[in-house]
Amino acid sequence: MAKSKGVGQFSKSLLTGDKALDRELKALGKRGTGLAKKGFSKALTELVKAMRREAPEGETQQVKKSIGKRFEKVRRSDEVKAKAGVNVASNPEKLRAQAPHAHLVALGSAMRVTKEGQSRGKMPSNKFINRAVRSSIGTMQSVLIVTIRAALAKYRKRNRKK
């Protein structure tokens, strides 16, 4: 099994970092998953802001505009699967139309050659995503925990009245 990298791995270790909070969310089942999703949404918003700050300045600012987040459905599971990065959004076609080569700026490319043998060169990668994750990891963690605790308190208060 391949090891996950980046934000996905960060997110998993983050939730299991607070054992009491993790236990409480697990006990709530599907409702706990919904509460966790609220926290992840706010934490990913912080990451997207950091990525946009770190993204290279271009004439049209298309790389910054193409940075987004989205949640993916995980059927029959109590997991929350989310993604943030370049050309990531709930409507990816709209973003690709704006910045079709944004992934090359973020990831770079190997030496490229056409079928005729003409060299198209190599695109160096820009490590702005790594810098953004490193700079926002503390903020993401605190926002996630504060949001989930607030949502849990609201949930408990609502259920006590019934």
Side-chain angles (χ1 to χ4, degrees), residues 18-91:
D18 190 342
K19 291 180 182 177
L21 188 62
D22 191 30
R23 250 190 324 254
E24 201 166 349
L25 287 173
K26 199 170 188 175
L28 290 174
K30 291 248 183 211
R31 184 63 193 152
T33 304
L35 297 176
K37 189 174 178 179
K38 284 182 183 181
F40 274 114
S41 181
K42 287 198 176 190
L44 283 177
T45 299
E46 293 298 320
L47 179 61
V48 167
K49 286 179 188 176
M51 284 183 190
R52 287 183 179 154
R53 275 193 308 268
E54 293 288 335
E57 300 275 334
E59 286 180 30
T60 60
Q61 301 291 313
Q62 294 303 320
V63 173
K64 286 185 181 202
K65 291 176 186 175
S66 73
I67 296 170
K69 66 177 181 176
R70 80 167 166 245
F71 285 89
E72 296 175 3
K73 290 184 180 179
V74 181
R75 295 184 190 266
R76 292 183 230 135
S77 177
D78 290 338
E79 291 181 17
V80 176
K81 200 172 186 183
K83 198 177 194 182
V86 176
N87 284 339
V88 175
S90 56
N91 184 359

Side-chain angles (χ1 to χ4, degrees), residues 44-145:
L44 283 177
T45 299
E46 293 298 320
L47 179 61
V48 167
K49 286 179 188 176
M51 284 183 190
R52 287 183 179 154
R53 275 193 308 268
E54 293 288 335
E57 300 275 334
E59 286 180 30
T60 60
Q61 301 291 313
Q62 294 303 320
V63 173
K64 286 185 181 202
K65 291 176 186 175
S66 73
I67 296 170
K69 66 177 181 176
R70 80 167 166 245
F71 285 89
E72 296 175 3
K73 290 184 180 179
V74 181
R75 295 184 190 266
R76 292 183 230 135
S77 177
D78 290 338
E79 291 181 17
V80 176
K81 200 172 186 183
K83 198 177 194 182
V86 176
N87 284 339
V88 175
S90 56
N91 184 359
E93 292 306 314
K94 180 180 172 187
L95 291 177
R96 283 198 190 92
Q98 291 177 347
H101 302 297
H103 64 284
L104 292 174
V105 175
L107 304 172
S109 72
M111 184 62 113
R112 296 171 293 161
V113 180
T114 64
K115 291 178 184 177
E116 291 80 30
Q118 294 176 329
S119 175
R120 294 294 179 231
K122 177 183 173 183
M123 177 78 179
S125 66
N126 187 323
K127 305 288 186 194
F128 72 92
I129 292 178
N130 294 345
R131 289 192 305 268
V133 170
R134 271 189 254 118
S135 70
S136 67
I137 202 161
T139 308
M140 287 174 61
Q141 186 174 16
S142 60
V143 165
L144 176 66
I145 291 173

